[in-house]
Amino acid sequence: MTVIGIHASHEQVHPTALLRAVRRAQDAGFTAAMCSDHFSPWSERQGQSAFAWSWLGAALATTDLPFGVVNAPGQRYHPAIVAQAAATLSAMFPQRFWVALGSGEASNEHITGDGWPRKDVRNERLLECVDVMRDLFAGEEVSHDGLVTVDRARLWTRPDTPPALIGPAISEGTARMAAGWADGLVTVNAPHDHLRRMIDAYREADGRGRLSLQVHLSWAPTLAEAEAIAHDQWRSNVFPPPVCWDLETAAHFDIASGHVTSEQVHTSVLVSDDLGQHAGWIAEFVDLGFDDVYLHHVGTELDGFVDAFGKDVLPQLGVEPMPPVVPAPGRRRAADALRPEVSV
């Protein structure tokens, strides 16, 4: 039994269509949802990038699903503003909202005109933001002078239970760092041995809470269609760090991905026209220990995907409802989580 959610990609789909899709997904049997929070898409072909926080209010109000969002406080967003937004959603929709806090990507953050810091500096900035946000959720008046500056901030509207703050990671080092502060871990599909090492790194460092996985997939009635969708929409997303962190515009990603083949896209996207194959892949991730699996069909037309997976995939997986979204017991200072060896 596991939670199977849908991932809503604001970089690819108009927010009105995404709202229809998550409602349809709830009706089809999906039991959770998450979304991105970018200023820019990874490709001009994707062609969208709506404001996630506006959309989240509508999505939470018009479904019964719990929702999460991946956010990068510290440059484009001041941490007090992220805390206020998250607290408001959690006050209105108790125990249905979580936010994963990462160190960001230049493609979204460069818009401020500030310099793009080194990864180690971004890690330190992130941990300062986490502590600022947790202090605000606790009702404290917060002033802070560091890589972020806060002057006498206080949240006047707070939920009874603060939102869970999740650690996003794609490497063992980041998973270990997240274990020191996060209420859970979220990552993306990768080879099983890599995912096992990440899970072990997180748990061995006393990482708490649920393990969540976002799975990029492409499905269509024929394999040729599924291949074409994946190559068209996701070939700009195959680059490992630091490339994906440091490219600045959709045009840069398109130039960099000009020679990416369909076969190379398979390293990032599970591509098949066989719904049984997709169910098998998802079941393997569940067997690795993931509590929640969020399915991201990388195409822009979502109705067929939602209907087919709701009818033929979810019943094979024993899908269960999402439990209440709450922070892990015990409060830790995020600043204590940084280790000198953590660089990715």
Side-chain angles (χ1 to χ4, degrees), residues 12 32 45 62 78 80 82 102 157 177 179 187 196 218 286 308 321 333:
Q12 299 177 272
R45 294 183 308 280
T62 57
H78 192 280
V82 181
T157 299
M177 185 179 79
T187 188
R196 287 192 193 94
S218 182
V286 173
R333 300 301 298 178

Side-chain angles (χ1 to χ4, degrees), residues 41-341:
W42 285 286
S43 169
E44 294 184 0
R45 294 183 308 280
Q46 293 173 342
Q48 298 286 338
S49 210
F51 186 57
W53 294 89
S54 301
W55 183 87
L56 280 162
L60 283 158
T62 57
T63 72
D64 296 320
L65 299 174
F67 276 81
V69 64
V70 182
N71 175 269
Q75 186 159 331
R76 178 170 50 118
Y77 287 107
H78 192 280
I81 297 300
V82 181
Q84 185 186 33
T88 298
L89 289 177
S90 295
M92 295 177 68
F93 309 103
Q95 300 183 12
R96 286 178 54 202
F97 180 68
W98 55 268
V99 54
L101 299 175
S103 61
E105 297 170 331
S107 62
N108 303 303
E109 310 307 321
H110 77 88
I111 64 167
T112 65
D114 296 325
W116 183 232
R118 299 186 313 272
K119 177 59 174 172
D120 62 317
V121 176
R122 301 201 305 273
N123 283 343
E124 292 180 31
R125 182 172 68 182
L126 168 63
L127 297 180
E128 289 184 16
C129 290
V130 171
D131 284 338
V132 166
M133 292 175 64
R134 285 223 169 101
D135 288 345
L136 289 168
F137 293 149
E140 299 176 20
E141 181 180 278
V142 178
S143 294
H144 178 82
D145 295 293
L147 293 168
V148 292
T149 300
V150 185
D151 179 37
R152 293 166 294 178
R154 175 183 171 187
L155 292 183
W156 292 87
T157 299
R158 294 185 296 120
D160 292 335
T161 302
L165 301 184
I166 307 300
I170 57 173
S171 73
E172 294 170 65
T174 303
R176 277 191 295 272
M177 185 179 79
W181 64 266
D183 298 313
L185 183 76
V186 63
T187 188
V188 297
N189 56 286
H192 288 189
D193 58 344
H194 177 74
L195 292 175
R196 287 192 193 94
R197 290 195 301 270
M198 284 189 59
I199 291 171
D200 290 345
Y202 183 72
R203 292 303 193 199
E204 289 169 3
D206 199 25
R208 306 163 302 167
R210 298 176 71 84
L211 300 174
S212 303
L213 180 71
Q214 181 190 139
V215 176
H216 304 304
L217 63 90
S218 182
W219 171 84
T222 70
L223 181 58
E225 291 176 273
E227 295 269 10
I229 289 168
H231 188 249
D232 177 69
Q233 285 293 299
W234 217 246
R235 67 177 181 266
S236 302
N237 298 69
V238 301
F239 306 112
V243 176
C244 60
W245 292 335
D246 293 342
L247 293 179
E248 292 185 339
T249 69
H252 292 169
F253 279 94
D254 283 336
I255 292 170
S257 62
H259 299 290
V260 173
T261 66
S262 183
E263 290 73 21
Q264 289 172 303
V265 175
H266 281 252
T267 63
S268 300
V269 183
L270 302 179
V271 182
S272 178
D273 61 334
D274 183 344
L275 292 169
Q277 175 67 81
H278 281 288
W281 280 329
I282 297 165
E284 290 173 358
F285 291 130
V286 173
D287 289 343
L288 287 174
F290 287 100
D291 303 294
D292 316 320
V293 179
Y294 294 88
L295 306 184
H296 172 210
H297 173 53
V298 300
T300 58
E301 299 296 331
L302 298 179
D303 287 357
F305 153 70
V306 167
D307 293 347
F309 275 63
K311 178 177 181 291
D312 294 322
V313 175
L314 301 190
Q316 300 184 51
L317 299 171
V319 180
E320 65 182 5
M322 183 86 165
V325 181
V326 297
R331 184 178 171 200
R332 302 175 181 178
R333 300 301 298 178
D336 296 334
L338 194 63
R339 302 290 185 267
E341 69 271 14

